[in-house]
Amino acid sequence: MPSSKQPQQQVNCVFHPGPIIVGAGPSGLAAAACLHSSGVPSLLLERADCIASLWQRRTYDRLKLHLPRQFCELPLLNFPNFFPKYPTKHQFLSYMEDYVRHFSIEPRFKQAVLEARYDALTGLWRVQTRDVLYVSRWLVVATGENAEPVIPEIHGLQRFQGPVLHTSAYRSGSQFSKQKVLVIGCGNSGMEVSLDLCRHLASPSIVVRNSVHILPREMWGVSTFSMAMVLLKWLPLKLVDKFLLVVANLTLGDTARLGLRRPKTGPIELKNATGKSPVLDVGALSLIKSGKIQVVEGVKEITENGAKFCDGQEREFDSIILATGYKSNVPTWLKGEDFFTKEGMPKTPFPHSWKGENGLYAVGFTRRGLLGTSSDAVKIAKDIADQWRKINKRYSAKEIKLGSEIFGKIGENI
């Protein structure tokens, strides 16, 4: 009689003595570089087939860094001196490619993490991809705040007859030339896409659902962000916010007259509390003033040929672009942990959001851009490197290798 027992499926299990990093965007690369500099080997897993897939595959052509380059450098390697004050998307990508080469970072591509879970019995993290089970003492979550596009529920959107796309799929306004385009969302992406559409002879209307802070990108030739950072060293946050708003009103005028109401909370305070960045104007506001970009109120519903708005207006459009931002995807794959909220952000606020329990770390969730990413990466590398040195002092290289083999065998059976 044939045996009723089913043959066990062979598990490809890989134990890594250093930390496993999930995500090869700027956050993951920064963590890997800092660990490398501290003498700690890491294993970097990336679901795409390239580094920085968001930057490479889901950003528009005219994108530039919103802040001066000194605030956007990753740890331990400066931008080239010949880069402009605000590097382009392509320059930033070339910088990251150089970064990978400089620190000998070798991501494992096409390794989408299906589930990561801490095993209390062994004290190890089990990170499962489609074909490999990775095991380590440490797990660094580096998938970031912008892992997945946010697609809002808008009544009637499915019945619109024209193209509907998220800004993650937008490259250039050239394909929208002479079209009437509805842009839903008035953050930095919505404003820049509207500006780009105008430059390609389209007629954009931008939906302003909520209040928004608009600041000049520079004040008297100095980056607004740089000025704010200097002032915050000497003055209370609320006073700095008041200063920024006074200068913004003097240079940009009363934006409320254009349908762009300011929040009651100041721009920096709002950013720190909610992560909502102020819009740094690079030219869209002048086109709103001239009428080339129309400002419309919230959408009530989408029709076959356009939209009905909350103020009773109804207009026809050829295309709709969703500038509705991104979200974290951590809750879909990190299981059994309460370090992250259901929205995929650390529950502990900055500056203590980088470290959880049982060897769990998070980089790039500070809501403070690349500057926050760098801060996280440096702290994480130092913390893990301290543990790494203690392990190396306690055990010989031969014992560590033997332990790795034993842990790998354990991982196959848990």
Side-chain angles (χ1 to χ4, degrees), residues 153-155 182 184 206-210 261 295-303 306-315 317:
E153 292 185 9
I154 304 174
H155 182 62
L182 181 64
I184 299 178
I206 188 166
V207 175
V208 180
R209 296 173 292 173
N210 301 304
R261 295 176 294 104
V295 173
V296 293
E297 290 190 20
V299 174
K300 184 178 181 181
E301 67 174 301
I302 301 297
T303 64
K308 293 180 180 179
F309 298 97
C310 295
D311 61 358
Q313 290 188 65
E314 183 173 356
R315 298 188 189 181
F317 295 98

Side-chain angles (χ1 to χ4, degrees), residues 338-353:
D338 63 356
F339 180 69
F340 287 86
T341 66
K342 62 181 180 180
E343 290 79 25
M345 298 295 291
K347 292 180 179 178
T348 308
F350 179 85
H352 305 294
S353 56

Side-chain angles (χ1 to χ4, degrees), residues 57-63 89-90 165-177 179 181 192-202 319 321:
R57 306 274 172 79
R58 292 188 283 173
T59 51
Y60 40 92
D61 294 341
R62 78 174 306 276
L63 178 64
K89 156 189 169 177
H90 301 291
L165 68 154
H166 190 270
T167 47
S168 59
Y170 178 93
R171 296 294 171 267
S172 166
S174 58
Q175 68 187 96
F176 301 96
S177 181
Q179 289 190 21
V181 184
E192 290 196 29
V193 164
S194 297
L195 175 63
D196 190 54
L197 287 166
C198 279
R199 290 178 175 173
H200 288 89
L201 305 179
S319 301
I321 297 174

